Amino acid sequence: MYEDRRRDRDEREQRRLAEALRNSDIQLTAFFDNSPTGMAVASAERRWLRINPALARMLGQTEAALLALDWTDLIHAEERAGFHAELEALLSARVDDRGVALRMLREDGTTLHVFLRVHAVRRDDGSLDYLLVQIADMADRIEIDALYHALLHTSTEGFWLCDGDGRLLEVNSAYCHMSGYSRDELLRMTIADLDEVETPGEVREHIRAIADWGSAHFERRHRRRDGQLIDVEISTSHSPFEGGRLYVFVHDITERKRIEHSLKTERAQLRSLFDGVDEVIYVADPKTYELLYVNECFRRTWGDDVVGKPCYRILQDREAPCPFCTNDKILGEYLGRSYIWNFENERTGRWYRCVDKAIRWSDGRMVRFELASDITEQKAMDQRRIQLEKLGSLGQLTAGVAHELNNPLMGIINGVQFCMERSASDKDCLEVLKDTEHQTRRCIGIVAGLLAFSRSGDATRIGFLLTDPLPIVERVLRLLDYRLRKEAVRVRVVVEPGLPAIRIQPERFEQVLVNLMTNALDALAESDVKRIDVDMRIIGGDFVLQIADHGPGIPESIKARIFEPFFTTKPAGKGTGLGLSTSWSIITDHAGHLEVSDRPGGGTCMTVSIPTELAHSDEKTHPDH
């Protein structure tokens, strides 16, 4: 009974093993028949025993046709002898596995690049039972390799393949030409042998950093075989396979660097040239109004931190584009030409002559270029010239009228005096005659003033003398003392210590002081602060006298006219309009300037500036000195 049970168990085990073997054979057959790789079983006599469909398709034949062939006959004739040697090694039991790249022949006579691997399956006694053959189509790989080789060695960009220590594993022809080394020489070198700066340790650290980043782009300097240094631009990417590899493209940028250096030098020279120009120069974007460039003269006036900010805000202190902007002109009817115009800057109050033009910027866009020359002094000179022309014309007319009036008035005086002698006993008549004489002499005084204004009277022939101006100021204050006390006006006089004598016409200078002080008193009529400040000092080689009142000031709309003859803001009968124009004329005769400005805090400041001159040894000194 025991033997029967053991026999049953053995039979069941045999059936299980047979079933497992059958299942395994089914799986192997499915794998063999459906593999995309060519597979076959061959005998030691080099005959096909079994072929899968992939191999038949690969060779362009049917399975039946292939089974009738000596499979080594399908090896290309040029490579058949070498393959037989490999096969003999398998048959002689020296090796169990061989793999080789070769060409095989298809049914249509074309060749097929394949990788053929043969594995020997042996019996227990070591003799060959059969061969397992795997054949992989290498056509795509060969094509890719050919393309890679073509790209690598026809590229004008240098190429490296290097390992994690910086050893060169492959280089292309372009880098050989770039560096002056042969391929064999380069393959015995490392990156550190070529880099101008980096040591082997720094190279390895840099490679590790690139491995972390995945790729990098940077510039270096490489040393050629002849010792010359070249600038290169490097683009590299890291591959983690085979222990880590760097694929590196090297571009020679020596010429680009030379051009960049040349351009940088030229830009520095142009910047130096523009910064040396005393005219304002700036460039702005006509669409965004952003300042793109300003020169040193611009920065001196409007500050350093201005590039990138709107031109209207910096130049004019506006919150929106200027209504008088010329962008529409230089981009319209004046495109390609310069547009020239004058304007008064709202922020500085100075006049500029502007030359605007649309030019092409370095990035291709059209921008606004402006060169502005400060013509404030020229404007002032033009105003003075116009004033002198007006005064000259008026002076000629006034001189003629004054001369014509002078003689009749003197005749009237003589007649009145004659009548006064004959009417000495008639008090009423004598009083009338005295009033007539007084009014006639007043007319003669007015005529004398007109003659002085026209520069044809005696005042113009008064010589220039070295004179201390302080006594003249004190004399004018004494002359106006009654009015000053009556109107409760305080006068504050400040004199610079050591003030020198100045070369003036004393009587005419006194006339100017009287006119200016009288106007200052008139301005204080409605003011709460009854004070006039008189300041005398030397500024920049000029004698400067300032008379400032605390009145309401002069409106901007009439400032440009206050020195015109007969222009006055006083009520009828209160002023002739000749005081300031006469004063301006007198100071101009002294080669000086008479200017009006607003006094800080309110009021008007009149400023007289007269050049100081040293006296000659034979020059007279005025008694006031």
Side-chain angles (χ1 to χ4, degrees):
M1 184 176 292
Y2 175 78
E3 289 297 329
D4 292 339
R5 284 198 297 270
R6 185 174 63 82
R7 193 166 39 251
D8 291 340
R9 185 170 63 249
D10 290 342
E11 289 176 358
R12 285 196 299 272
E13 181 64 22
Q14 288 176 2
R15 286 195 297 271
R16 187 185 66 79
L17 291 174
E19 183 66 24
L21 182 61
R22 187 168 53 255
N23 290 337
S24 176
D25 185 60
I26 293 172
Q27 292 173 355
L28 288 173
T29 299
F31 173 75
F32 183 86
D33 290 340
N34 294 292
S35 173
T37 302
M39 300 181 71
V41 179
S43 68
E45 291 77 22
R46 297 180 297 186
R47 307 290 295 183
W48 299 112
L49 300 177
R50 187 176 180 183
I51 297 171
N52 74 343
L55 180 57
R57 288 193 300 271
M58 192 182 302
L59 297 175
Q61 300 199 48
T62 65
E63 295 181 36
L66 287 172
L67 289 173
L69 297 174
D70 181 332
W71 62 279
T72 59
D73 290 340
L74 296 175
I75 306 299
H76 194 281
E78 294 178 1
E79 297 168 351
R80 193 174 297 157
F83 179 72
H84 283 166
E86 298 287 343
L87 191 57
E88 286 300 321
L90 286 171
L91 296 176
S92 62
R94 293 198 303 270
V95 295
D96 290 330
D97 190 85
R98 300 299 283 180
V100 62
L102 47 73
R103 289 173 291 172
M104 295 188 73
L105 299 173
R106 291 171 53 86
E107 172 66 17
D108 58 7
T110 59
T111 58
L112 180 68
H113 290 273
V114 301
F115 186 81
L116 188 149
R117 181 173 294 278
V118 181
H119 180 75
V121 178
R122 302 187 187 279
R123 302 184 182 93
D124 293 340
D125 61 0
S127 61
L128 182 65
D129 189 4
Y130 58 88
L131 299 172
L132 293 177
V133 182
Q134 286 183 291
I135 301 175
D137 187 346
M138 298 290 290
D140 291 342
R141 174 65 182 271
I142 293 298
E143 184 178 347
I144 291 172
D145 286 347
L147 179 60
Y148 167 76
H149 187 273
L151 289 174
L152 184 65
H153 292 285
T154 59
S155 172
T156 57
E157 300 285 320
F159 174 79
W160 298 340
L161 176 65
C162 60
D163 63 16
D165 292 324
R167 287 190 296 268
L168 301 183
L169 305 177
E170 183 60 88
V171 296
N172 70 344
S173 302
Y175 189 76
C176 293
H177 177 74
M178 190 186 303
S179 65
Y181 290 100
S182 68
R183 181 174 180 274
D184 291 339
E185 288 174 320
L186 287 168
L187 294 182
R188 294 193 297 269
M189 300 172 69
T190 67
I191 295 176
D193 296 326
L194 298 167
D195 195 275
E196 177 196 15
V197 177
E198 285 191 333
T199 64
E202 291 171 333
V203 167
R204 287 191 293 271
E205 184 177 346
H206 196 178
I207 290 175
R208 283 194 293 271
I210 294 173
D212 291 337
W213 302 332
S215 63
H217 185 87
F218 52 91
E219 294 180 4
R220 309 298 290 177
R221 300 191 81 190
H222 284 178
R223 188 178 292 103
R224 285 173 46 88
R225 194 176 192 279
D226 58 9
Q228 178 186 354
L229 292 174
I230 57 173
D231 293 289
V232 296
E233 185 177 61
I234 291 178
S235 297
T236 178
S237 60
H238 180 265
S239 171
F241 297 106
E242 299 185 59
R245 293 287 187 266
L246 278 186
Y247 297 91
V248 182
F249 287 92
V250 186
H251 179 56
D252 187 346
I253 58 172
T254 304
E255 180 63 15
R256 190 185 82 188
K257 283 290 186 180
R258 186 193 66 78
I259 294 173
E260 286 177 354
H261 177 74
S262 177
L263 290 175
K264 184 177 180 181
T265 301
E266 290 178 6
R267 283 196 296 268
Q269 291 172 344
L270 286 174
R271 183 179 292 274
S272 177
L273 177 64
F274 288 155
D275 284 344
V277 173
D278 286 334
E279 277 75 30
V280 172
I281 297 175
Y282 75 87
V283 177
D285 188 314
K287 293 182 179 179
T288 65
Y289 300 93
E290 172 188 0
L291 287 169
L292 304 175
Y293 167 80
V294 299
N295 71 341
E296 178 61 27
C297 184
F298 186 107
R299 291 192 292 271
R300 284 198 300 267
T301 303
W302 288 282
D304 291 324
D305 187 22
V306 296
V307 173
K309 297 179 180 178
C311 57
Y312 53 81
R313 182 174 301 159
I314 299 300
L315 287 165
Q316 307 293 344
D317 200 21
R318 285 175 169 264
E319 293 301 319
C322 306
F324 48 81
C325 182
T326 62
N327 283 345
D328 58 334
K329 295 184 180 296
I330 63 175
L331 293 171
E333 60 181 307
Y334 282 87
L335 184 62
R337 297 185 292 145
S338 297
Y339 178 72
I340 303 173
W341 60 301
N342 297 343
F343 88 109
E344 183 181 15
N345 184 270
E346 296 176 345
R347 183 171 176 181
T348 65
R350 301 191 67 82
W351 279 88
Y352 291 90
R353 180 179 178 83
C354 302
V355 180
D356 297 349
K357 189 174 182 179
I359 64 173
R360 193 166 297 280
W361 202 231
S362 57
D363 57 8
R365 58 180 158 166
M366 298 299 291
V367 297
R368 171 191 181 88
F369 172 87
E370 179 170 289
L371 185 148
S373 303
D374 191 327
I375 58 170
T376 305
E377 296 302 322
Q378 179 184 335
K379 274 282 185 181
M381 290 293 294
D382 290 344
Q383 290 296 325
R384 286 193 285 270
R385 179 181 56 78
I386 294 171
Q387 188 76 357
L388 285 173
E389 290 175 356
K390 289 182 178 179
L391 290 174
S393 300
L394 182 63
Q396 293 176 1
L397 175 63
T398 302
V401 173
H403 280 298
E404 290 298 323
L405 290 176
N406 210 33
N407 291 333
L409 288 173
M410 291 303 298
I412 293 173
I413 287 291
N414 290 334
V416 169
Q417 288 178 344
F418 177 81
C419 292
M420 287 174 65
E421 291 177 359
R422 295 290 188 272
S423 306
S425 59
D426 188 342
K427 292 183 178 181
D428 292 336
C429 183
L430 187 61
E431 288 298 321
V432 172
L433 291 172
K434 285 182 179 181
D435 287 341
T436 302
E437 180 187 28
H438 175 74
Q439 295 300 327
T440 304
R441 290 191 181 279
R442 184 168 177 269
C443 290
I444 292 174
I446 292 173
V447 170
L450 290 173
L451 287 172
F453 173 76
S454 67
R455 302 184 181 183
S456 59
D458 292 340
T460 60
R461 294 191 290 271
I462 299 174
F464 285 86
L465 304 173
L466 276 178
T467 306
D468 184 349
L470 182 57
I472 298 178
V473 172
E474 293 173 341
R475 185 162 57 246
V476 170
L477 292 178
R478 287 195 299 272
L479 180 65
L480 298 173
D481 181 65
Y482 173 76
R483 184 176 174 186
L484 291 171
R485 287 187 290 105
K486 179 181 178 182
E487 298 178 14
V489 176
R490 294 184 297 112
V491 179
R492 175 177 171 269
V493 180
V494 177
V495 182
E496 180 180 317
L499 190 69
I502 57 175
R503 189 171 179 272
I504 57 174
Q505 295 174 318
E507 287 79 6
R508 301 186 76 198
F509 183 75
E510 182 175 334
Q511 181 182 355
V512 171
L513 289 181
V514 170
N515 286 337
L516 298 183
M517 287 296 296
T518 301
N519 285 345
L521 280 169
D522 292 342
L524 296 177
E526 305 296 330
S527 176
D528 295 332
V529 180
K530 304 287 188 177
R531 195 180 86 188
I532 299 173
D533 297 319
V534 180
D535 185 286
M536 290 186 290
R537 63 184 67 247
I538 299 296
I539 300 177
D542 290 346
F543 166 77
V544 177
L545 167 69
Q546 290 185 323
I547 297 177
D549 62 60
H550 290 253
I554 300 176
E556 287 291 332
S557 58
I558 65 171
K559 273 186 182 177
R561 300 190 58 198
I562 62 172
F563 296 117
E564 293 181 6
F566 304 112
F567 177 80
T568 181
T569 59
K570 296 177 182 179
K574 293 292 185 179
T576 62
L578 288 174
L580 284 178
S581 61
T582 301
S583 299
W584 186 89
S585 178
I586 291 171
I587 297 304
T588 301
D589 288 343
H590 284 69
H593 302 291
L594 175 59
E595 298 175 342
V596 61
S597 61
D598 294 330
R599 176 190 167 278
T604 301
C605 179
M606 303 299 297
T607 302
V608 174
S609 301
I610 299 176
T612 58
E613 294 183 23
L614 296 177
H616 297 292
S617 58
D618 59 347
E619 192 165 19
K620 297 180 181 179
T621 302
H622 191 270
D624 283 334
H625 179 55

